Amino acid sequence: MTELLTRPRPATDAETGAPTRPPRPRRRLEPSPPPGRDGAAAAAGAWLQTHAVSLPIVGALLALTAILVGTGITHYPTFTDDEGTYVAEAWSALAHGQLSHYTYWYDHPPLGWMQLAFLSSILGGLVKGASAVATARSLMLLPALATSAMLYVLGRRIGLRRRFAALAVVLLVCSPLGLTSLRQVYLENFALPWVLGAFVLAASPSRRLWAYAASGACFALAVLSKETMLLFAPGLVLALVHNADRRTRSFCLTAFFSAFVLIGIGYPLYALLKGELVPGTGHVSLMQAAAWQLGGRQATGSVFSAHSAARTVINGWTQVDPWLLALGVGSVPIALFVRRLRPVAVAMAVALLVAAHGGYLPEPFDIGLLPFCALLSAGLLDALWGRRLLPARGRTRLRPAAVIAVLVALAVVLIPAWRRGDSYAMGANGTRPEVAAERWITHHIPRRARLLIDDTMYVDLVDAGFAPRYGVVWFYKLGFTNNLDPALVRHLPKGWREFDYVVSTPVIRSALAQDPGGYGQVSDALGHSRTVASFGPPSARIEIRRIVGPSTGSGKIPPARTGARS
């Protein structure tokens, strides 16, 4: 009691009577290292020390990706018309400074094929395929490597152990569907590294404001590469909300959306400055193209209908490999209850709901799903290993045993099927007929002739000396009435009768089968022609056909002899 009474009272402020804090002792400021070579070397050394274990793992995963995706990349799968279109648009941007080899009508944002043009400008001299699309296929190895690296980093950022983060990459690149999809010159493959990078930055452990702004910037670049990436926005925003500190969450969201809007607004601003934002007479418009993409194009039907075009697309995926998609889709309901996997599960769920709603389902839609399928599958195994799916009490030995049992079961099922599929993809040559057909055309058809082709041949034939735009004509522009190029109509008023040759390919025959009413001009050209050369087996046959009949031909080469046998 005496001690309490005699303890000195704290000093108080003379005016308010409030106790004053004693002055803090000044801390001695240590000089910071100079921002020169020594500082950079120290930072690099610290980074290498932190990631000393992960770097060899990433190196091994990149080597695996390069071997599986790169072996036979120019030979399988067969070229698609969309690949030819993106290659032609990249060629047009690189060679002529134009966004498309025909009138650009805002069907897709141009950043995807501009990235292809950039890769071609710096690496085109180092890789040379048998055709322009084959050369572009070789360049697609770079986005595939970036996707693999980003997928591993994302797995680590959301808390997966190294072995399971690596397993996600292995599942992606070893799946025959993942392997073949990563090879193709699709805009989705250019968007994937940006989407995964946005998730990586949203899960940044440092929680710096710049990381969330960079995440928004990456996501904007992903959407400008392929607009369907916008479907992953709910999952990405949820990842940001989960990771951001509660006290600064509003600032983080503001930084994210500000960067996203400031970059993304460049696309409509470009259309506005060209006077092509809103519909009008005599020009294309962004809003008209967006309305057509959202509701104007022919729907593929319900995925639950056995005879719908959407079911045909899904059957095409599952024929290559049903397992990775099945694992990913089956993981979504469980992963929604695992907090660290929930953003990825939400991203997958939204995309799956849109795919199932009965609108238009594009063939490469699966490319955006596959990395998340692999990540969810590996993430659930990691959660099972780490006490998140089974009660912790009394189950210590059961958890590793359960994971090992699942891995053994997956290995027994997947390895034989995936080995057959991967071996075929790495050894098959499905593009040989097209290369042979192009070679025949360049050796036997005069350069002044006019040909109706699919877009996979466009760049090669123009480079061989045929006239661009109106000398070799993309069949889509002639036949699909919604997007018929006005300049093409003015230049070729007689339609199919203006042509000397039509090249019948699986791409053209598939388009006629899916929408015979929309390609009447192409169908008439094929109906009034006879085969002069044929290449490949019946399932992949390419026929070069001479158009015959009165008042047909370009008038630039001698007309066909109508009495010749077909």
Side-chain angles (χ1 to χ4, degrees):
M1 187 68 178
T2 306
E3 293 177 358
L4 292 175
L5 293 174
T6 58
R7 179 180 298 173
R9 298 176 62 187
T12 58
D13 185 272
E15 295 182 0
T16 64
T20 60
R21 297 179 179 177
R24 294 181 178 178
R26 293 184 178 180
R27 291 184 298 176
R28 184 177 179 181
L29 298 177
E30 299 291 339
S32 59
R37 293 183 178 179
D38 294 340
W47 186 87
L48 290 173
Q49 185 177 4
T50 303
H51 302 283
V53 178
S54 288
L55 286 176
I57 297 175
V58 173
L61 293 173
L62 293 181
L64 179 66
T65 302
I67 293 171
L68 292 178
V69 177
T71 304
I73 192 172
T74 62
H75 295 152
Y76 184 84
T78 56
F79 299 146
T80 67
D81 194 54
D82 281 348
E83 289 184 280
T85 299
Y86 302 141
V87 170
E89 288 171 326
W91 167 84
S92 179
L94 193 60
H96 304 287
Q98 299 175 349
L99 291 181
S100 177
H101 52 314
Y102 286 97
T103 301
Y104 175 62
W105 64 281
Y106 299 93
D107 52 335
H108 298 295
L111 185 59
W113 61 82
M114 290 177 69
Q115 293 174 70
L116 176 59
F118 173 75
L119 293 178
S120 300
S121 67
I122 61 176
L123 298 174
L126 301 178
V127 293
K128 187 64 177 177
S131 65
V133 180
T135 301
R137 281 272 186 93
S138 299
L139 297 174
M140 294 308 295
L141 184 58
L142 295 177
L145 292 172
T147 296
S148 295
M150 287 292 103
L151 185 59
Y152 175 83
V153 176
L154 178 57
R156 293 291 293 148
R157 285 284 174 92
I158 64 176
L160 270 61
R161 294 165 179 81
R162 291 186 180 90
R163 64 182 78 95
F164 293 105
L167 177 62
V169 180
V170 171
L171 290 174
L172 175 64
V173 300
C174 288
S175 163
L177 183 59
L179 184 154
T180 55
S181 297
L182 290 173
R183 292 178 170 187
Q184 294 181 280
V185 191
Y186 281 134
L187 301 180
E188 285 83 355
N189 281 323
F190 291 103
L192 268 184
W194 296 114
V195 169
L196 296 175
F199 274 89
V200 166
L201 289 164
S204 171
S206 64
R207 298 181 177 180
R208 301 286 181 86
L209 194 62
W210 69 263
Y212 300 113
S215 177
C218 283
F219 193 57
L221 295 176
V223 174
L224 291 178
S225 299
K226 181 62 175 181
E227 65 276 13
T228 53
M229 297 298 116
L230 195 61
L231 297 176
F232 299 121
L236 179 58
V237 172
L238 182 60
L240 190 151
V241 170
H242 278 185
N243 188 59
D245 189 278
R246 186 183 307 172
R247 297 166 296 181
T248 59
R249 187 174 294 159
S250 59
F251 295 99
C252 297
L253 289 169
T254 300
F256 173 86
F257 284 108
S258 297
F260 176 76
V261 171
L262 288 175
I263 294 176
I265 203 174
Y267 185 46
L269 182 61
Y270 169 80
L272 178 64
L273 293 176
K274 290 197 66 179
E276 296 174 345
L277 179 63
V278 297
T281 57
H283 67 82
V284 297
S285 73
L286 173 59
M287 293 180 64
Q288 184 178 16
W292 181 81
Q293 291 278 19
L294 293 174
R297 67 193 312 171
Q298 184 179 4
T300 52
S302 171
V303 297
F304 303 106
S305 174
H307 304 289
S308 67
R311 176 63 72 84
T312 302
V313 171
I314 293 177
N315 289 341
W317 301 341
T318 56
Q319 285 175 3
V320 179
D321 171 40
W323 295 107
L324 183 56
L325 283 172
L327 289 172
V329 173
S331 299
V332 170
I334 307 173
L336 288 172
F337 294 96
V338 182
R339 189 178 189 275
R340 56 179 175 167
L341 298 178
R342 193 173 300 142
V344 179
V346 168
M348 272 280 294
V350 172
L352 292 174
L353 288 174
V354 171
H357 87 294
Y360 176 74
L361 181 63
E363 186 175 342
F365 188 82
D366 64 309
I367 295 177
L369 301 177
L370 294 177
F372 295 119
C373 288
L375 189 61
L376 287 181
S377 303
L380 286 184
L381 289 174
D382 181 86
L384 181 62
W385 186 282
R387 304 184 182 184
R388 297 176 184 273
L389 295 182
L390 290 175
R393 185 177 302 174
R395 301 291 180 92
T396 303
R397 296 182 179 179
L398 178 59
R399 286 190 302 272
V403 174
I404 293 172
V406 172
L407 289 174
V408 170
L410 288 176
V412 169
V413 173
L414 297 182
I415 289 179
W418 285 7
R419 182 181 178 183
R420 290 192 298 269
D422 292 349
S423 297
Y424 182 79
M426 296 168 71
N429 192 343
T431 61
R432 183 184 290 116
E434 179 153 342
V435 173
E438 288 184 2
R439 188 178 296 116
W440 191 94
I441 291 172
T442 57
H443 283 84
H444 295 87
I445 296 182
R447 298 299 189 269
R448 293 173 59 83
R450 181 174 292 129
L451 288 79
L452 185 62
I453 60 171
D454 70 42
D455 236 8
T456 59
M457 297 184 176
Y458 182 89
V459 174
D460 297 316
L461 296 184
V462 170
D463 286 343
F466 291 89
R469 293 175 66 89
Y470 310 123
V472 283
V473 178
W474 180 21
F475 82 98
Y476 183 86
K477 292 297 180 181
L478 184 69
F480 199 61
T481 54
N482 283 349
N483 300 308
L484 197 61
D485 195 325
L488 196 68
V489 175
R490 291 192 299 268
H491 197 87
L492 306 175
K494 294 192 299 180
W496 68 270
R497 295 180 179 275
E498 303 269 9
F499 290 84
D500 302 300
Y501 291 88
V502 57
V503 182
S504 175
T505 65
V507 169
I508 292 180
R509 293 193 294 271
S510 175
L512 288 174
Q514 293 178 8
D515 186 14
Y519 295 95
Q521 291 285 325
V522 182
S523 180
D524 288 342
L526 290 172
H528 293 81
S529 65
R530 56 181 174 85
T531 301
V532 295
S534 180
F535 305 90
S539 60
R541 186 179 65 256
I542 294 180
E543 296 177 348
I544 302 167
R545 303 178 65 91
R546 185 72 156 97
I547 295 178
V548 295
S551 302
T552 60
S554 63
K556 298 181 179 181
I557 65 172
R561 293 178 297 171
T562 57
R565 294 172 58 188
S566 296

